[in-house]
Amino acid sequence: MPRRVAIIATGQTKHTARRLDVNIRELITEAVTRALQDADLTMRDIDAVLLGNMEPFEGFLFPELWAVEGWGGYMKPSVKFNTGGTVGTTTAIAAYYYVASGIYDVVMAVGFEKQSEGHTQTAITTVGDPIWERSVMAGAIGNFAVMATTYMHESGVTEEQAAKAAVKARRNACLNEYAHLQMPDITVEDVLRSEVLAYPVKRLDMCPQSDGAVAVIFAEESKAQRLAPRPAWIRAVATAHEQQYMGDSPKRLAEMRSLIAASRRAYQAAGITNPRKELDVAEIYEVASFAELAMYENLGFCDRGEGGKLIDMGVTELTGELPVNPSGGVMSTNPIGATALIRVAEAALQIMGKAGRRQVEGARMALATGYGGNAWTDVMILSQEKP
Amino acid sequence: MSEWIVRQKIRIPFRYTAGRAMSRFLMGLAERRIWATRCEGCGRVYVPPLGFCGRCWREIAEWQELPDEGELVSYTVRPVGPPVILGLIRLEGADTHLVHRLGEVEPAELGRVIRVRAVWREDRTGSILDIAYFAPVRSGSLG
Ligand SMILES: [Zn+2]
């Protein structure tokens, strides 16, 4: 029997395009220090530290080694994770396993990326199949745009509807002091008129590249209850891996097989039958406007082909029936190795009632996802009630 | 013909922000000065300097200047071509060691070298290569 585990504290840096005042170690230390302060703990109270980073985006390998004094791993049990877009949720799920196993009581998950210092699109190309994909594509956008075109065709979603998701993200970000792209006056027109990167994807449909770090502290039941007034209990975790070769899944956005598999497994473990009704808030790894709408469908928030309608109806706005990404999401903030862990941190903040101006009133059940890889999914469900 | 091999190359450009402590260190080198930090928790004198001690998990605020002279702790020599000698140097007052080139010395003499000092370049830019190499401090030299 796994032990009960809860998130008791979080810490984030103010995510931004470029942090020239700190190096990578110093950036990570900011987030770790804030998480420790949030729980009123010191590094001595942490039994193990897990690090997430999307190497070699900054042109180096082994950040766990040479940035150790920054992330607190010195002489502690520790592991580094590198699983693409899912890095942060993989790290979070591992931290859950560490504590649930009974081996460690208090474990910190840390994620970072200093994207301004690397060349992300070059590094992303290394994910592709060496014979086919690397020869004809470069980076993530072309790959994604092909999927977006198929999705529009399959679901009838329009560029305007996708743009609405992009607007929601940047407006919600204004309520989040840590978010990178805060655009209070952004309109659907602005998104539609922004530079076309690869049809149908325009600059404002896409996530930015950010410098940032995040730390989340997990604890077993008795310590969680002692250390946090309202811990965020881990209700369910699930991961699923898709086959990597892109041509194998022509409808990758229309039908996100790993997202469907992982979310259904997590819903079942958490006893959720109607996610739109039973979830109070979702922090999803949406990377781009089109992906957010596709994820509504694949997560079962609505029927197939209804993703556009959901955004038209305002269901996923902060004041809607199921707010999605009140933090501003990935479209506002994307330090890749931290991004999915930020989803977990933001979902936990909602459950703990500490989300400030982006708080969803009465949030009792929250979903966090990571997505990447090309198409891997991690899911974590958090609740105010003990599992 | 079953062993078909595809050859490609990856080139990843990157930049690196030196950060608070190393920025001060590198600017110091341009002025022929070597800055270290001392952790008030464990007492270690770090050069190159750390602004944060991972062992003690605390900020380091104390700075001190070190002489550009110290002890040669270890070395190795490139066996082919013109000799390139790498040394491990502990500057006077430091608890950590620097890896740098050695010069003005023949490989055969290395076993007798005890102290070395930095030989600075004239055109310094704020790089560890502002120190051209470390050279033996010979007895009788003014040091
Ligand atoms: Zn110390």
Side-chain angles (χ1 to χ4, degrees):
Chain A
M1 252 312 264
R3 295 199 293 181
R4 291 192 178 104
V5 181
I7 290 171
I8 59 167
T10 70
Q12 291 183 57
T13 58
K14 159 68 181 141
H15 310 293
T16 180
R18 191 160 291 173
R19 282 292 302 271
L20 291 177
D21 60 320
V22 287
N23 66 14
I24 284 170
R25 297 170 189 157
E26 293 162 349
L27 178 75
I28 303 169
T29 303
E30 277 183 22
V32 172
T33 303
R34 283 174 189 166
L36 289 170
Q37 281 167 354
D38 191 28
D40 201 16
L41 294 175
T42 72
M43 210 37 146
R44 278 198 206 93
D45 302 310
I46 306 296
D47 300 326
V49 192
L50 308 182
L51 180 68
N53 171 239
M54 190 51 222
E55 58 187 2
F57 278 11
E58 288 91 347
F60 61 75
L61 294 167
F62 300 150
E64 70 278 21
L65 187 77
W66 58 261
V68 68
E69 69 266 25
W71 58 278
Y74 180 77
M75 293 299 155
K76 300 242 187 228
S78 57
V79 186
K80 172 207 60 193
F81 297 88
N82 180 353
T83 65
T86 47
V87 166
T89 36
T90 305
T91 313
I93 289 173
Y96 165 74
Y97 290 153
Y98 265 54
V99 179
S101 71
I103 297 175
Y104 300 101
D105 288 345
V106 182
V107 174
M108 179 156 55
V110 181
F112 79 92
E113 207 76 58
K114 206 155 186 270
Q115 288 220 68
S116 67
E117 304 198 344
H119 198 262
T120 304
Q121 297 310 320
T122 303
I124 282 184
T125 304
T126 67
V127 173
D129 173 70
I131 293 174
W132 203 275
E133 293 173 355
R134 290 195 208 181
S135 304
V136 294
M137 295 193 298
I141 292 169
N143 186 333
F144 176 77
V146 171
M147 299 185 236
T149 308
T150 320
Y151 173 59
M152 281 173 67
H153 182 75
E154 286 282 317
S155 69
V157 153
T158 63
E159 291 180 65
E160 287 77 11
Q161 287 170 323
K164 284 184 187 176
V167 167
K168 169 174 75 66
R170 281 52 176 270
R171 287 195 184 153
N172 282 352
C174 301
L175 306 173
N176 176 2
E177 65 269 36
Y178 302 110
H180 171 184
L181 279 189
Q182 297 165 323
M183 305 168 83
D185 303 320
I186 188 176
T187 64
V188 167
E189 274 299 297
D190 293 337
V191 179
L192 293 173
R193 278 203 225 114
S194 62
E195 177 198 354
V196 177
L197 300 177
Y199 173 84
V201 179
K202 295 160 288 293
R203 183 163 297 284
L204 287 172
D205 285 311
M206 290 299 297
C207 53
Q209 300 193 359
S210 315
D211 287 0
V214 58
V216 178
I217 302 176
F218 294 73
E220 57 81 30
E221 186 172 2
S222 67
K223 283 199 170 142
Q225 278 167 327
R226 187 149 46 82
L227 292 168
R230 194 201 287 175
W233 297 98
I234 315 296
R235 207 44 190 261
V237 301
T239 83
H241 283 201
E242 174 69 287
Q243 289 195 120
Q244 178 63 31
Y245 184 58
M246 186 194 166
D248 179 54
S249 181
K251 299 180 182 176
R252 188 152 272 168
L253 274 187
E255 188 192 0
M256 302 166 111
R257 294 190 292 231
S258 67
L259 186 63
I260 294 169
S263 61
R264 297 315 186 275
R265 232 177 273 156
Y267 293 157
Q268 192 178 16
I272 291 172
T273 52
N274 183 343
R276 179 155 147 197
K277 293 265 172 303
E278 292 165 73
L279 292 172
D280 300 307
V281 57
E283 277 289 338
I284 66 171
Y285 198 102
E286 88 287 16
V287 299
S289 58
F290 292 93
E292 173 156 340
L293 303 185
M295 284 174 172
Y296 294 165
E297 299 178 23
N298 289 285
L299 283 164
F301 295 172
C302 60
D303 289 333
R304 286 257 159 251
E306 304 279 287
K309 204 180 282 178
L310 213 62
I311 193 90
D312 284 342
M313 287 157 53
V315 170
T316 56
E317 297 287 341
L318 187 50
T319 50
E321 182 189 351
L322 173 51
V324 173
N325 292 2
S327 67
V330 187
M331 273 189 281
S332 299
T333 303
N334 192 23
I336 294 184
T339 304
L341 188 54
I342 294 171
R343 307 277 71 71
V344 173
E346 287 290 334
L349 286 171
Q350 292 289 348
I351 298 294
M352 295 190 283
K354 287 160 68 169
R357 290 194 297 151
R358 60 194 183 285
Q359 180 69 47
V360 173
E361 283 312 312
R364 304 181 63 83
M365 186 82 83
L367 173 80
T369 70
Y371 191 80
N374 262 338
W376 300 350
T377 298
D378 289 334
V379 172
M380 188 174 259
I381 295 174
L382 302 169
S383 71
Q384 214 179 89
E385 245 170 276
K386 248 194 241 182
Chain B
M1 181 86 188
S2 59
E3 295 113 352
W4 194 276
I5 293 167
V6 174
R7 290 175 205 280
Q8 295 174 347
K9 207 172 250 179
I10 296 168
R11 192 179 148 270
I12 302 175
F14 73 98
R15 317 184 308 161
Y16 185 76
T17 305
R20 289 175 184 135
M22 274 307 278
S23 293
R24 181 160 176 187
F25 176 76
L26 293 171
M27 286 190 283
L29 292 180
E31 302 164 350
R32 293 182 62 144
R33 303 175 81 171
I34 297 179
W35 285 105
T37 55
R38 183 181 168 278
C39 173
E40 287 171 63
C42 59
R44 289 172 67 86
V45 175
Y46 287 107
V47 63
L50 289 180
F52 196 88
C53 184
R55 299 168 189 241
C56 304
W57 193 256
R58 62 186 289 164
E59 297 266 356
I60 305 179
E62 194 183 319
W63 285 84
Q64 52 181 255
E65 194 176 350
L66 296 184
D68 61 0
E69 187 176 318
E71 176 193 356
L72 181 64
V73 175
S74 187
Y75 58 83
T76 187
V77 184
R78 187 174 71 178
V80 291
V84 174
I85 310 174
L86 278 186
L88 193 63
I89 297 132
R90 193 180 62 78
L91 293 179
E92 198 65 49
D95 287 302
T96 58
H97 299 73
L98 302 174
V99 177
H100 216 299
R101 297 245 171 113
L102 298 183
E104 297 175 27
V105 62
E106 291 303 317
E109 300 176 276
L110 282 164
R112 296 193 298 277
V113 175
I114 296 166
R115 293 187 69 76
V116 290
R117 72 173 306 164
V119 175
W120 297 86
R121 280 186 206 283
E122 285 306 313
D123 53 332
R124 291 181 301 276
T125 59
S127 148
I128 65 161
L129 300 178
D130 287 349
I131 296 173
Y133 51 83
F134 282 81
V137 178
R138 317 252 177 206
S139 54
S141 90
L142 292 172

